[in-house]
């Protein structure tokens, strides 16, 4: 499998040290975030600070993986060609593989040797998600991952918790399950040595691709780190952040409770323009071996469609008389 370089989504485009000739990927679903043919743009991120060799010291280094996919919980019954867009922000680590997995079983791994010498780089990796390559049919968890090694020898990667109904001749065995059930899996995670998995979750009924209006209530859950040496450091929710702007734009920050249990956040969509937006969900932790702060991020697209309130017309002149002077 070969790679193509892609324009970075923010700041200036940067060069990649790519270990294979460049080719054009051509998924019919588009390349994140420019999705087409009914696809949705989903993204997972992992953050760590301090990241060895980061061009901007004192700021987190990020690994992003975004993809245009059928809406979560759709049926997969034919091979799906996608372009996984990997981005390295403030991150000179080595990207060693981009892959997809059937739960914890790796199915297709594209080995790489890619690093970013500048503030931001990105590349698009073609992957083929084939229902016949899942171990079983039924509700299965699709995991997309960009796997890196830092300059000081740590492992840093992101992954997804995205459930689809896979149809094939394989025996049925549900790993996740339909929305609203006890085994619903709608989320993403970051992973870094010392804190390991940093999961963030939501519920599909709240975030499925229907237009949002008024006050939009969203269930969220921020997990504590799976490594017991790490300590939970809260969660963060915002809409339309631009963390790489100068100055940084944190977006429309939504208040959250500092808890690892489920909670409901309230998003006032009347404060947003009608049209497309991005929901940013982040769970955070602190580690000691190595010391630092990490997080896992899940971003989802949504569309606002509030009624447009027209301004009232000017009052007519009384008794049909002449309009006021100067009108």
């Amino acid at each position: 499998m070969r790679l193509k370089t892609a324009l970075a989504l923010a700041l200036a485009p940067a060069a990649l040290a790519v270990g294979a000739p460049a080719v054009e990927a051509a998924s019919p679903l588009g390349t994140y975030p420019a999705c087409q043919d009914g696809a949705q743009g989903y993204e997972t991120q992992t953050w760590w600070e301090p990241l060895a060799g980061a061009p901007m010291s004192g700021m987190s280094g990020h690994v992003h993986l975004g993809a245009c996919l059928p809406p979560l919980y759709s049926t997969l019954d034919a091979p799906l060609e996608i372009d996984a867009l990997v981005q390295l922000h403030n991150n000179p680590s080595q990207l060693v593989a981009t892959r997809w997995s059937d739960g914890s079983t790796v199915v297709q791994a594209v080995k790489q040797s890619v690093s970013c010498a500048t503030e931001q780089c990105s590349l698009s990796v073609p992957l083929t998600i084939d229902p016949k390559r899942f171990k079983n049919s039924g509700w299965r968890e699709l995991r997309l991952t960009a796997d890196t090694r830092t300059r000081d020898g740590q492992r840093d990667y992101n992954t997804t918790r995205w459930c689809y109904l896979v149809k094939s001749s394989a025996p049925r065995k549900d790993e996740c399950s339909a929305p609203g059930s006890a085994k619903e899996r709608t989320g993403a995670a970051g992973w870094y040595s010392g804190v390991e998995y940093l999961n963030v979750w939501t519920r599909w009924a709240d975030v499925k691709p229907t237009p949002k209006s008024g006050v939009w209530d969203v269930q969220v859950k921020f997990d504590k780190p799976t490594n017991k040496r790490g300590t939970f450091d809260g969660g963060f929710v915002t809409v339309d952040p631009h963390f790489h702007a100068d100055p940084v734009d944190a977006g429309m920050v939504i208040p959250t409770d500092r808890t690892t249990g489920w909670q409901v956040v309230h998003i006032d969509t009347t404060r947003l323009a009608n049209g497309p937006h991005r929901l940013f969900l982040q769970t955070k932790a602190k580690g000691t071996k190595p010391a630092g702060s990490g997080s896992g991020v899940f971003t989802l697209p949504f569309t606002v469609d509030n009624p447009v309130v027209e301004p009232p017309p000017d009052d007519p002149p009384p008794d049909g008389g002449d309009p006021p002077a100067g009108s």
Side-chain angles (χ1 to χ4, degrees):
M1 185 71 68
R2 296 183 292 175
L3 314 176
K4 76 165 186 176
T5 55
L7 290 180
L9 300 184
L11 307 176
L16 279 168
V18 180
V23 297
E24 289 298 315
S27 169
L29 301 181
T31 298
Y32 181 88
C35 302
Q36 56 196 33
D37 198 25
Q40 295 288 300
Y42 304 115
E43 185 185 52
T44 176
Q45 303 176 15
T46 180
W47 296 24
W48 185 259
E49 178 189 346
L51 192 69
M56 296 179 291
S57 60
M59 297 184 68
S60 295
H62 311 170
V63 183
H64 299 220
L65 189 154
C68 295
L69 291 162
L72 305 183
Y73 297 95
S74 297
T75 297
L76 300 183
D77 56 7
L80 191 66
E81 303 290 340
I82 71 166
D83 295 338
L85 183 71
V86 180
Q87 298 182 79
L88 301 175
H89 290 296
N90 192 36
N91 188 346
S93 304
Q94 183 182 45
L95 176 68
V96 296
T98 303
R99 65 176 189 256
W100 74 268
S101 305
D102 172 13
S104 59
T105 302
V106 176
V107 178
Q108 181 187 12
V110 181
K111 293 183 179 181
Q112 293 156 316
S113 179
V114 174
S115 60
C116 183
T118 57
E119 189 175 332
Q120 175 172 329
C121 305
S122 64
L123 71 158
S124 180
V125 184
L127 298 171
T128 302
I129 301 170
D130 189 344
K132 293 181 180 178
R133 299 189 67 185
F134 284 79
K135 182 188 297 186
N136 295 96
S137 61
W139 292 109
R140 307 298 296 175
E141 184 174 276
L142 173 65
R143 297 186 186 179
L144 296 174
T145 298
D147 192 6
T148 71
R149 300 294 182 273
T150 67
R151 288 189 172 184
D152 57 348
Q154 306 297 330
R155 189 180 183 192
D156 187 19
Y157 66 88
N158 45 31
T159 195
T160 65
R161 317 297 191 187
W162 297 344
C163 192
Y164 287 92
L165 182 59
V166 174
K167 289 194 173 182
S168 71
S169 60
R172 177 160 184 158
K173 184 177 181 181
D174 294 338
E175 182 179 40
C176 47
S177 57
S181 65
K183 285 189 174 182
E184 179 179 336
R185 303 274 284 181
T186 304
W191 194 101
Y192 194 89
S193 307
V195 289
E196 297 183 2
Y197 283 112
L198 297 172
N199 289 293
V200 58
W201 306 96
T202 186
R203 305 296 283 181
W204 182 242
D206 297 339
V207 299
K208 59 185 178 182
T210 55
K212 312 304 178 186
S213 61
V215 177
W216 173 31
D217 292 338
V218 180
Q219 297 178 81
V220 296
K221 183 174 182 282
F222 310 108
D223 276 354
K224 62 183 179 182
T226 56
N227 189 316
K228 293 181 179 179
R229 294 196 302 267
T231 56
F232 177 68
D233 196 31
F236 180 71
V237 177
T238 188
V239 174
D240 295 339
H242 298 282
F243 296 119
H244 300 278
D246 187 13
V248 170
D249 177 6
M252 188 176 82
V253 177
I254 311 300
T256 60
D257 297 328
R258 191 179 177 85
T259 177
T260 57
W262 282 99
Q263 60 182 288
V264 178
V265 297
H266 310 285
I267 302 170
D268 184 358
T269 69
T270 65
R271 296 172 56 192
L272 302 168
N274 282 348
H277 297 274
R278 184 172 64 118
L279 178 63
F280 179 97
L281 308 174
Q282 179 184 36
T283 188
K284 301 182 289 183
K286 292 186 181 298
T288 56
K289 294 183 179 180
S293 299
S295 59
V297 173
F298 184 21
T299 75
L300 300 103
F302 69 96
T303 300
V304 169
D305 187 14
N306 283 305
V308 177
V309 179
E310 298 290 344
D314 293 335
D315 292 334
D319 302 326
D322 294 333
S327 64

